[in-house]
Amino acid sequence: MNRSSTSPAERLVPATPRGQRTRQRLLLAAETVFGERGYEHASIADITREAEVALGTFYVYFPDKQSIFVEVVDELGARLRRLIAEAVAKCEDRIEVEREGLRTFFQFVGRHRNLYRIVRQAEFVDEACYRRYYDRFAEGYVPGLERAMATGEVRRMDPEALAYCLMGIGDFLGMRWVLWDGKGGLEHVLDSAMEFIRHGMDARPTGADTGSKKGPRKARVPRSKTTR
């Protein structure tokens, strides 16, 4: 099931507004069906039934089930990246960018609750599509981090490694507090995330010795025979 993905250039883009609307209905229906039933149990008939179009209409726009699944994943990723880019466009510093980016991701997950299940299925349906979903996020993330490093807002480190660290934070926070909980009121989660992003986990005061130099030795406490 891991044959190469259909490239965007190979996809049929309808020439008429009506065709574009029908194609979009099929994609939205596929998002629902794949999210609720899973790829293996979903059928093209399920998708056309959800979209309220004839079965034969599907093949006007997509050659098979895998091709529409791949496009659902690609389109979800593209929409999310576009929304985040719009949300952070007017942010004045990198910390504000990270906070608004996380907030936008949480909002998107709240509206597209099948996102996690669909993307995770992609690893087994089409590995190239699965990797592309994350690679494209990182590709968009890295230049902004590099600019922040150049201006001194972020300390120098591997920007791609940092991008994946930050993506991982958002991914798991969204799963825990949006997908599993879903009660809203995420400001305290954003506060904790931003505190970690800004300062890390080190509880020592800024400027404390973090190198290999040895400090004063602690007095050795004799261990009793009953202590392990």
Side-chain angles (χ1 to χ4, degrees):
M1 274 254 181
N2 286 328
R3 63 180 174 82
S4 60
S5 301
T6 304
S7 70
E10 296 171 345
R11 294 170 183 166
L12 172 64
V13 179
T16 66
R18 180 179 179 183
Q20 292 166 9
R21 289 194 299 270
T22 300
R23 193 174 192 278
Q24 190 60 33
R25 282 171 63 186
L26 285 164
L27 286 167
L28 291 173
E31 179 184 339
T32 299
V33 171
F34 289 134
E36 293 178 356
R37 297 179 62 85
Y39 181 83
E40 292 298 329
H41 297 291
S43 69
I44 291 172
D46 293 328
I47 295 169
T48 55
R49 190 179 304 113
E50 178 71 22
E52 297 182 340
V53 301
L55 183 62
T57 302
F58 178 92
Y59 296 99
V60 174
Y61 303 100
F62 303 98
D64 53 33
K65 184 172 75 167
Q66 185 173 353
S67 66
I68 193 172
F69 177 86
V70 166
E71 188 152 353
V72 166
V73 175
D74 284 345
E75 187 176 272
L76 282 169
R79 273 189 282 166
L80 177 53
R81 293 192 305 274
R82 183 170 59 251
L83 286 172
I84 291 174
E86 292 170 356
V88 305
K90 295 182 180 180
C91 293
E92 296 182 354
D93 60 64
R94 190 66 212 181
I95 294 301
E96 188 181 357
V97 167
E98 296 301 331
R99 188 180 188 102
E100 289 308 308
L102 279 175
R103 189 195 309 279
T104 303
F105 175 68
F106 293 161
Q107 291 169 347
F108 189 85
V109 172
R111 294 193 299 269
H112 299 270
R113 302 186 69 82
N114 290 320
L115 175 69
Y116 280 90
R117 189 175 187 191
I118 289 171
V119 172
R120 285 176 182 155
Q121 289 177 78
E123 181 180 7
F124 307 101
V125 176
D126 191 306
E127 186 177 358
C129 169
Y130 177 70
R131 292 188 60 172
R132 183 167 62 243
Y133 176 85
Y134 291 104
D135 285 345
R136 285 179 175 171
F137 272 104
E139 288 168 3
Y141 223 139
V142 166
L145 292 173
E146 289 177 330
R147 288 192 295 271
M149 291 176 193
T151 59
E153 288 186 86
V154 175
R155 63 186 175 89
R156 289 282 182 184
M157 62 188 88
D158 182 330
E160 185 179 6
L162 178 57
Y164 273 92
C165 288
L166 294 168
M167 287 159 55
I169 289 171
D171 194 41
F172 276 88
L173 291 179
M175 181 171 62
R176 166 62 180 85
W177 272 280
V178 181
L179 190 65
W180 294 354
D181 195 326
K183 295 179 181 178
L186 288 167
E187 289 303 313
H188 71 290
V189 177
L190 283 168
D191 288 343
S192 293
M194 298 316 303
E195 188 68 16
F196 174 75
I197 289 169
R198 186 181 285 109
H199 301 297
M201 295 192 300
D202 195 344
R204 290 171 289 182
T206 303
D209 181 16
T210 59
S212 59
K213 294 180 181 179
K214 294 181 179 180
R217 293 184 64 184
K218 294 182 179 180
R220 186 175 183 273
V221 180
R223 186 175 65 179
S224 68
K225 293 181 179 179
T226 58
T227 303
R228 295 184 66 86

